[in-house]
Amino acid sequence: PPPHKIKQILNMISANSIIVKPSVGGESGRGVELYSRLDSGEFALHNNPDIVLDTNRLNNLGPNFIIQETLQQSSEISTFNPTSVNTLRIATYRSVKDNEVHILSSVIRIGNAGSVVDNLHSGGKMVRINENGTLANYCSDQYGRRTNRHNGIDFSIENHIIPNYDKVKAFAREVSSKILHARLVQLDIMLDQNNQPKLIEFNINGFSMWIAQFTGTPALGRFTDEIRDYTISKLNK
């Protein structure tokens, strides 16, 4: 965008802290930056106030970026790690048979203490969310290595449950039903201060089946044969 357009964008922001990240082709937390407003009104990188968000810095991101107002997460979710928004990664499938959206698997991703992002490739961990919203008794890293503890929490002895989980699942199904060009979707959902689900982003380029498998859930579950048969029929054509 030309400099005057970027200035207009920055002047429109009323929030005191924002997230800037690529909107196309980004993954695993790469390129995600947190900025806080200075007394001067400018935004500076949260861990380096000498780096100010200006037209040059935004232009370096290329033509595809997004600026998001930061959200305050649920107090219950914040106990896992207060410095990152710990998102629920919900995998959905819109059936080729009845066009209904089904939940395939879900995990909560928890950032490392002090980290701004919760992504696994940035050192975060994931914990399976069971059908009733309770959490599994272990967490996994990006290589599938299991441990009971993360950020001082022992999941093997502490019982945790995701607040408002039925509403989270309904929300995930509703969002996925509106993504008409993809049937397999990975949603990143956060719970706000009132435990209401908010969509951070959705992922369709690469389904990350390993996330479910590493946390003890079949990637496609009872829809494996349906998806396989549909795919083979399309390949044959």
Side-chain angles (χ1 to χ4, degrees):
H4 72 280
K5 288 292 185 183
I6 293 179
K7 287 182 179 179
Q8 288 179 5
I9 293 171
L10 293 176
N11 289 335
M12 290 169 58
I13 300 172
S14 59
N16 288 321
S17 58
I18 56 175
I19 292 288
V20 180
K21 65 181 182 181
S23 58
V24 175
E27 62 174 348
S28 306
R30 286 190 287 270
V32 177
E33 296 179 332
L34 172 64
Y35 290 85
S36 300
R37 190 185 294 275
L38 302 173
D39 292 339
S40 64
E42 296 179 301
F43 287 96
L45 202 60
H46 82 286
N47 57 358
N48 191 341
D50 293 329
I51 298 179
V52 175
L53 186 64
D54 56 17
T55 55
N56 289 331
R57 191 159 184 85
L58 282 177
N59 271 325
N60 288 336
L61 294 174
N64 301 304
F65 63 84
I66 187 171
I67 299 175
Q68 295 178 317
E69 180 180 355
T70 56
L71 296 173
Q72 184 67 40
Q73 68 183 339
S74 159
S75 58
E76 290 96 323
I77 302 299
S78 183
T79 59
F80 298 121
N81 184 40
T83 61
S84 63
V85 174
N86 307 300
T87 54
L88 314 181
R89 170 59 70 91
I90 312 292
T92 65
Y93 166 59
R94 184 163 51 85
S95 173
V96 297
K97 290 186 175 180
D98 58 16
N99 225 35
E100 293 295 318
V101 176
H102 305 274
I103 305 293
L104 297 178
S105 63
S106 58
V107 303
I108 181 171
R109 300 184 305 175
I110 303 170
N112 267 340
S115 176
V116 173
V117 296
D118 63 354
N119 303 79
L120 302 178
H121 300 307
S122 301
K125 298 291 192 300
M126 55 183 172
V127 184
R128 184 182 74 249
I129 306 174
N130 299 315
E131 184 68 23
N132 62 357
T134 59
L135 297 188
N137 60 3
Y138 64 89
C139 48
S140 303
D141 67 8
Q142 62 176 323
Y143 303 109
R145 296 177 299 202
R146 296 183 178 185
T147 179
N148 292 332
R149 298 180 64 88
H150 184 56
N151 293 343
I153 300 170
D154 191 337
F155 290 91
S156 67
I157 61 175
E158 297 182 28
N159 296 319
H160 298 278
I161 187 167
I162 299 298
N164 225 359
Y165 188 57
D166 285 339
K167 190 164 187 176
V168 170
K169 291 187 290 184
F171 178 73
R173 287 191 288 265
E174 178 186 2
V175 172
S176 294
S177 71
K178 300 180 186 303
I179 304 173
L180 303 181
H181 59 293
R183 291 187 177 274
L184 288 170
V185 181
Q186 297 263 9
L187 304 165
D188 290 338
I189 296 171
M190 65 89 70
L191 288 173
D192 68 11
Q193 288 175 296
N194 298 314
N195 288 324
Q196 298 301 307
K198 303 288 185 183
L199 180 66
I200 299 296
E201 66 181 27
F202 63 86
N203 306 273
I204 58 174
N205 184 19
F207 191 61
S208 301
M209 295 187 184
W210 54 273
I211 291 179
Q213 294 169 327
F214 283 176
T215 53
T217 305
L220 303 176
R222 61 188 178 91
F223 299 99
T224 302
D225 290 346
E226 176 182 319
I227 295 172
R228 180 202 61 198
D229 294 343
Y230 176 79
T231 305
I232 291 174
S233 70
K234 290 296 182 181
L235 288 174
N236 288 339
K237 292 179 180 179

